[in-house]
Amino acid sequence: MKVIHLISGGDSGGAKTHVLSLLQNLNKTITAQLVCFRDGPFADEARKLGIPTRICGGNNVLRVRRELSRYIRQEGFELIHCHGSRANMIGAMLRKSTGLPVVTTVHSDYRLDYMGRPLSRLTFGTINAYALRKLDYRIGVSDAMVDLLISRGFPADRFYAIYNGIDFTPAPPPKMERLEYLRQLGVDADENSVVVGIAARLNPVKDMSTLIRGFAAGYASCPRLRLVIAGDGEEREKLGALARELGVEKQVTFAGWISGGMDQFYATLDINALTSLSETFPYALTEGARFHLATVATAVGGIPHLIDSDVNGFLFAPGDFEALGTYLAALGNDDALRHDMGEKLYEKASTHFSIQNTVDTQLHIYQEILRRHRRPARARDGVVICGAYGRGNAGDDAILEAILQEMRSIDPDMPITVLSKDPKSTRLTYRVQAVHRSSILAWHKAMRHARLYINGGGSLIQDVTSRRSLWFYLYNIRAAKRAGCQVQMYGCGIGPVTRESHRALAAKVLNAYVDVITLREPDSREELLRMGVTVPRILLTADPALTLRPASDAEVDSVLLRAGIPPHGKYLCFALRQWKGFDEKASVFAQAARYAYETYGLTPVFTAVEKHLDPVAHRQAAANLDIPRYFLDDAGGAGTIIGALARMDAVVSMRLHALIFAASQGVPLVGVVYDPKVSSFLKYMGQELFVDLDSVTSENLCAMIDRAVCQTGTPQSREEAVARLQEMEQRNVTVARELLDL
């Protein structure tokens, strides 16, 4: 593989480190040619690292384009990779003349690159913003940078994320004793001091004012703290005045730029800090992790991908100096906590954010871009997926996540469009094209180009929650078939459809416009037959959400800790929802929670599946509880919810997908049935512990909790049932592959 990298040649900071370390290591596997638009220190350093480097200078961009076009053709490059605004402009001009795919790495927010320089922002910033939209693919240095650009209207399915990696080989021993080095920097420290450090430019984006205010707040509770700031910039005088105003002038040291490398600096610190308003994925944190430093940082950019808050570091909102002060004091006063967090951060960073991981990711991105570039054009291609997405319901969104994974397992490059109530959120979460459910012209256009339409899981064909919903999905099915799509109803449930007119309409549409219906449980098949649906092929499968996996232990720990829940306790989960008759039964759940706590020592955890609605039901159920209890109002996405439910000793749930998630992890279940889909799923997996909401009492619910907690020999049978359903679920994928003719 031969890739040409374009860069201005005047870059510094994280972008410079990223490009040079990446190209140095890429050239061990492929040819990665560097072209700079000016000579100087950047190009000199590249040559010293053994990176093939060429200078293509001058202000005549047309001449530069001609020269590069000729060079690219002569040398047989396959891909053009840009870094920075000038390279983006030239790359956009090279697309047509070379016919090659062009990708850019976005190292920072292009709207902030010229902060404080209005003329440069107006000229270079405008050109760069335009050029970015003309390139084929974009790589964000962190998922957060990708999300930022998608939120600004860039196509969601043309993005990749990469993280800055470093070499985690053990650092050489310090050249100087700690106290000697600190005193050389001008720090008033002794053996008992806990040194907080930061290496950054002193400019507004780094928000050093918050750092100094937070340090002053922490110092008031922990006089051992000292602060060393390595760096310089336009805010130096302002920050010095702030330190004097807050009475910490002697405890804050402005060390200026550190010469001779940063190893000695990081080896001297106890706590690494970062207070930026905006970041991609800063090297300063992985450098600190390399030295096993406890870390406190703002939750911006890709930083939350490295730091699981309260697990291997502390995160706070930009500008929140009080939270920063609290965290600094906690770390300063607790040597064991500081050591433990530093070790956990090193373990994660060295495993996931090494330079080799970065290189492997970049190579994978190149391979995928070339594969997509060479993909044959098809008159009809890809999938349109329609379901109850973008409403804040983790169960429905889990279905979408599972379907997307399965479509990508069939063809990782297929175009996918999702109809969503919140298309922006869907684009950000799943990196697919998404249109609003009400944008009729947009989804009609997508259907005319797609090969397959998926009516995507869940109980969409029902009229209990809304008759308009039923009409919407039936209209979509009809429109998709008329637009030329194959139509699959995917791992779905059917009903209840209560009105006879609706049953007749549903049967008419499904018979006329659906090719295959795959069902998540047998009761839905019986309902289809009763409705008179006989034309489509009907197969029994399972819910796609059964295939999803839990998030990492650290991510789950962080979610639980943010909710104030100790990660490894003895818990009984309640996943409830508002429904007709719930008000009269809310106290039953409270009585069951008290019984489980007093009998088995299980603390109730009320866990929301639909975060906008379920907490109301949970507060109602727990209103008069006088025992310890926790509320997990927002457990994040499907992965972290599954991971949280896996920590429970048993789950009592009205929510179907809480039962599905818990079942996939082998957790004992008790179902409270408000809708036939709940009992249908439980019967399908051989589970007999369920009761109708209308019939639930404290006595029968407590009896079922007894059986769930105490029944012997059940785990193996649950695991066998789940494995059977997961195997059956793959029929959904097989059918989709057939309809796509792949």
Side-chain angles (χ1 to χ4, degrees):
M1 185 188 302
K2 298 188 73 173
V3 182
I4 186 168
H5 287 252
L6 310 181
I7 194 166
S8 73
D11 302 73
S12 61
K16 173 186 174 181
T17 305
H18 175 94
V19 172
L20 294 181
S21 61
L22 178 65
L23 267 65
Q24 182 186 23
N25 287 277
L26 280 175
N27 275 294
K28 297 174 183 177
T29 307
I30 65 171
T31 298
Q33 171 72 50
L34 177 64
V35 172
C36 297
F37 298 125
R38 72 172 81 164
D39 210 344
F42 186 100
D44 290 340
E45 190 170 342
R47 294 184 190 103
K48 289 177 184 176
L49 293 172
I51 299 169
T53 304
R54 180 186 178 97
I55 307 300
C56 187
N59 293 323
N60 187 331
V61 294
L62 296 178
R63 184 189 61 77
V64 170
R65 184 191 67 172
R66 287 194 302 271
E67 182 179 333
L68 282 175
S69 294
R70 186 166 54 250
Y71 178 63
I72 287 167
R73 286 192 296 269
Q74 287 173 350
E75 297 298 320
F77 290 105
E78 301 167 81
L79 195 151
I80 301 169
H81 191 156
C82 307
H83 304 267
S85 58
R86 184 175 175 86
N88 291 339
M89 178 182 66
I90 300 297
M93 297 169 69
L94 288 169
R95 285 178 70 241
K96 188 173 182 180
S97 62
T98 63
L100 297 183
V102 182
V103 60
T104 181
T105 295
V106 184
H107 296 272
S108 59
D109 183 351
Y110 61 91
R111 291 185 180 175
L112 302 179
D113 284 344
Y114 300 99
M115 182 179 284
R117 293 182 287 164
L119 183 59
S120 295
R121 181 178 181 181
L122 181 63
T123 53
F124 301 129
T126 301
I127 292 170
N128 185 38
Y130 177 78
L132 275 171
R133 294 186 182 274
K134 292 297 181 181
L135 304 183
D136 298 297
Y137 301 95
R138 297 150 201 90
I139 303 169
V141 182
S142 78
D143 285 274
M145 177 55 67
V146 173
D147 290 345
L148 177 68
L149 296 178
I150 292 174
S151 71
R152 292 177 182 171
F154 287 85
D157 57 350
R158 292 284 178 135
F159 269 103
Y160 301 94
I162 198 167
Y163 285 82
N164 293 327
I166 65 169
D167 184 355
F168 276 91
T169 55
K175 298 177 182 178
M176 197 180 300
E177 290 294 325
R178 168 181 156 98
L179 279 180
E180 181 185 354
Y181 181 73
L182 287 172
R183 287 166 183 164
Q184 180 178 297
L185 294 179
V187 182
D188 179 18
D190 56 33
E191 293 288 352
N192 192 46
S193 297
V194 175
V195 181
V196 183
I198 187 171
R201 300 184 307 277
L202 308 189
N203 69 16
V205 175
K206 300 301 180 181
D207 194 18
M208 294 291 190
S209 297
T210 289
L211 175 63
I212 292 173
R213 293 181 188 279
F215 172 79
Y219 176 75
S221 302
C222 180
R224 302 171 66 193
L225 291 174
R226 300 292 183 271
L227 175 61
V228 183
I229 299 173
D232 209 342
E234 63 266 34
E235 292 200 315
R236 170 64 182 85
E237 294 303 319
K238 169 188 168 184
L239 296 171
L242 179 61
R244 288 192 295 274
E245 177 188 334
L246 296 173
V248 290
E249 181 181 11
K250 292 184 179 180
Q251 290 74 36
V252 177
T253 301
F254 293 91
W257 295 115
I258 304 291
S259 60
M262 297 297 293
D263 283 359
Q264 177 76 62
F265 176 76
Y266 284 111
T268 304
L269 302 181
D270 299 293
I271 301 170
N272 195 20
L274 187 142
T275 52
S276 298
L277 301 174
S278 174
E279 286 285 356
T280 51
F281 190 71
Y283 277 102
L285 295 191
T286 44
E287 288 285 1
R290 181 178 174 227
F291 286 85
H292 304 250
L293 295 180
T295 301
V296 185
T298 44
V300 297
I303 294 170
H305 285 263
L306 172 64
I307 297 178
D308 300 298
S309 193
D310 301 334
V311 177
N312 61 7
F314 290 120
L315 296 177
F316 63 97
D320 189 352
F321 71 89
E322 293 175 334
L324 172 60
T326 299
Y327 293 142
L328 291 177
L331 290 169
N333 285 319
D334 192 332
D335 295 346
L337 175 66
R338 202 166 60 246
H339 176 268
D340 182 56
M341 284 200 163
E343 291 303 313
K344 287 180 177 177
L345 186 61
Y346 172 82
E347 181 181 348
K348 180 173 181 179
S350 60
T351 302
H352 299 290
F353 299 100
S354 67
I355 183 59
Q356 191 56 53
N357 277 1
T358 302
V359 171
D360 290 344
T361 300
Q362 187 66 77
L363 289 171
H364 175 77
I365 291 170
Y366 288 157
Q367 290 161 0
E368 185 165 324
I369 288 173
L370 290 174
R371 187 182 68 229
R372 293 176 72 171
H373 183 66
R374 295 163 182 164
R375 192 171 188 262
R378 299 181 176 96
R380 303 191 70 96
D381 196 6
V383 179
V384 173
I385 306 174
C386 179
Y389 312 132
R391 296 174 175 271
N393 185 310
D396 291 324
D397 288 338
I399 292 171
L400 174 60
E401 182 177 345
I403 294 174
L404 289 172
Q405 287 182 10
E406 293 178 334
M407 292 303 102
R408 286 163 176 157
S409 74
I410 295 172
D411 178 358
D413 305 320
M414 76 164 65
I416 298 174
T417 301
V418 176
L419 276 60
S420 171
K421 181 74 172 176
D422 184 355
K424 180 178 177 180
S425 173
T426 300
R427 285 192 290 268
L428 290 173
T429 305
Y430 303 110
R431 307 280 167 79
V432 294
Q433 295 287 39
V435 298
H436 200 280
R437 290 158 54 97
S438 64
S439 299
I440 298 175
L441 293 178
W443 46 259
H444 268 286
K445 180 181 177 181
M447 289 171 180
R448 287 196 301 270
H449 291 91
R451 185 169 185 81
L452 175 63
Y453 172 87
I454 288 178
N455 183 258
S459 296
L460 304 180
I461 306 302
Q462 54 84 26
D463 64 359
V464 176
T465 59
S466 167
R467 60 185 179 181
R468 290 193 303 271
S469 172
L470 174 66
W471 296 342
F472 173 80
Y473 292 118
L474 291 176
Y475 176 79
N476 267 265
I477 288 169
R478 177 176 175 270
K481 192 64 178 177
R482 288 192 164 188
C485 294
Q486 298 288 304
V487 176
Q488 177 182 1
M489 295 172 61
Y490 197 102
C492 61
I494 302 295
V497 182
T498 57
R499 297 189 181 188
E500 284 304 320
S501 59
H502 288 167
R503 295 174 70 83
L505 176 63
K508 179 179 178 181
V509 171
L510 301 189
N511 279 326
Y513 299 109
V514 177
D515 295 285
V516 184
I517 303 174
T518 56
L519 299 170
R520 65 186 180 189
E521 28 74 16
D523 288 359
S524 291
R525 180 170 56 188
E526 298 306 313
E527 176 67 356
L528 281 176
L529 295 176
R530 286 193 295 268
M531 290 167 59
V533 177
T534 57
V535 176
R537 185 156 53 117
I538 299 175
L539 299 174
L540 191 59
T541 61
D543 194 294
L546 279 164
T547 64
L548 297 177
R549 296 288 175 261
S552 69
D553 285 343
E555 290 177 271
V556 176
D557 286 352
S558 183
V559 164
L560 294 173
L561 287 167
R562 285 201 300 271
I565 305 172
H568 299 286
K570 289 176 62 63
Y571 300 122
L572 175 63
C573 171
F574 288 88
L576 311 176
R577 65 163 297 167
Q578 288 285 345
W579 195 257
K580 182 180 179 181
F582 178 80
D583 292 352
E584 292 75 26
K585 298 294 183 178
S587 61
V588 170
F589 297 105
Q591 293 167 30
R594 181 179 288 105
Y595 172 79
Y597 180 76
E598 294 173 349
T599 307
Y600 302 108
L602 300 178
T603 304
V605 178
F606 294 88
T607 303
V609 172
E610 189 161 355
K611 60 185 178 183
H612 303 303
L613 300 177
D614 295 357
V616 176
H618 292 156
R619 265 50 176 201
Q620 186 177 351
N624 297 314
L625 272 180
D626 54 0
I627 60 171
R629 73 272 193 196
Y630 297 109
F631 297 94
L632 190 55
D633 292 338
D634 185 358
T640 44
I641 295 178
I642 294 169
L645 292 178
R647 304 283 179 90
M648 306 295 156
D649 290 79
V651 171
V652 176
S653 179
M654 295 172 65
R655 285 287 187 186
L656 172 63
H657 277 90
L659 294 168
I660 290 173
F661 293 157
S664 72
Q665 302 305 300
V667 178
L669 309 174
V670 175
V672 178
V673 180
Y674 76 96
D675 184 291
K677 65 186 180 183
V678 176
S679 54
S680 296
F681 167 72
L682 292 170
K683 287 187 291 185
Y684 192 27
M685 67 169 292
Q687 164 70 263
E688 58 182 17
L689 297 180
F690 60 86
V691 60
D692 287 342
L693 177 62
D694 293 341
S695 306
V696 69
T697 64
S698 59
E699 291 77 14
N700 60 26
L701 187 55
C702 291
M704 284 189 284
I705 290 172
D706 285 336
R707 293 177 62 188
V709 173
C710 301
Q711 198 171 22
T712 58
T714 345
Q716 184 176 356
S717 62
R718 282 196 302 268
E719 289 170 9
E720 290 172 352
V722 170
R724 173 179 58 83
L725 294 184
Q726 288 173 338
E727 183 178 348
M728 293 186 70
E729 195 281 332
Q730 288 304 299
R731 297 180 186 176
N732 293 321
V733 186
T734 302
V735 168
R737 188 187 300 273
E738 292 171 0
L739 295 175
L740 285 162
D741 196 23
L742 294 175

